[in-house]
């Protein structure tokens, strides 16, 4: 018969041997997306994969949103939403703001981004079409 200490050790060995290591993740990073009335300006064109905080600042005079799309399309090549031609198709969306930002407002958007290409857009009617978009590369 096994002693309690030996049994506990054997169980610990089995649990450790059967568990898988967590997936490796990058260091992530932080960037700022400044939204004017007709553009989105990023503080940097790329970040590392992993946890990323995007500080979204509306410096314009109208409300804006920020949608983050993972796509291989160029920032100016996102097709129109088939149900609303005044908006971009949000296929590949991985996150964004939860509400419209009023002029002067800021919010942090926290995402866990994998390596690839992304496009950040404001998807209020006609905003994407007038240039409210920016490319982001996640390494």
């Amino acid at each position: 018969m096994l002693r309690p200490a030996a049994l506990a050790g054997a169980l610990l060995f089995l649990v450790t041997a059967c568990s898988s290591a967590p997936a490796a993740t990058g260091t992530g990073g932080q960037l700022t997306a400044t939204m004017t009335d007709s553009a989105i300006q990023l503080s940097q064109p790329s970040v590392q994969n992993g946890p990323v905080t995007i500080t979204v600042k509306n410096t314009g005079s109208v409300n804006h949103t920020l949608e983050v799309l993972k796509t291989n399309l160029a920032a100016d090549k996102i097709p129109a939403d088939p149900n609303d031609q005044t908006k971009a198709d949000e296929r590949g969306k991985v996150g964004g703001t939860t509400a419209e930002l009023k002029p002067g407002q800021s919010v942090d958007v926290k995402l866990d981004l994998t390596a690839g290409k992304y496009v950040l857009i404001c998807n209020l009617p006609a905003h994407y079409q007038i240039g409210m978009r920016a490319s982001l590369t996640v390494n």
Side-chain angles (χ1 to χ4, degrees):
M1 186 157 141
L2 287 174
R3 292 186 172 176
L7 182 58
L11 287 173
L12 180 62
F13 173 77
L14 285 173
V15 169
T16 304
C18 293
S19 68
S20 61
T25 184
T27 57
Q30 185 165 357
L31 69 136
T32 301
T34 303
M35 306 183 89
T36 65
D37 283 336
S38 61
I40 299 174
Q41 299 162 343
L42 299 181
S43 59
Q44 58 201 47
S46 65
V47 292
Q48 292 297 311
N49 70 75
V52 174
T53 300
I54 304 170
T55 300
V56 184
K57 296 180 179 181
N58 183 355
T59 62
S61 61
V62 297
N63 290 1
H64 291 298
T65 63
L66 183 80
E67 312 301 337
V68 181
L69 313 176
K70 186 170 187 183
T71 180
N72 286 323
L73 296 173
D76 63 346
K77 300 298 183 197
I78 306 294
D81 182 325
N83 299 315
D84 185 347
Q85 296 292 306
T86 67
K87 294 183 174 186
D89 188 335
E90 291 187 4
R91 204 167 318 164
K93 181 177 173 178
V94 297
T97 54
T98 58
E100 291 182 22
L101 291 178
K102 294 179 181 170
Q105 283 187 314
S106 294
V107 68
D108 285 344
V109 174
K110 296 176 187 278
L111 301 169
D112 193 9
L113 299 179
T114 58
K117 295 180 180 183
Y118 294 80
V119 174
L120 286 66
I121 66 171
C122 176
N123 212 16
L124 293 178
H127 286 214
Y128 171 80
Q129 289 85 348
I130 64 170
M132 297 217 53
R133 53 189 177 250
S135 297
L136 176 68
T137 300
V138 177
N139 300 308

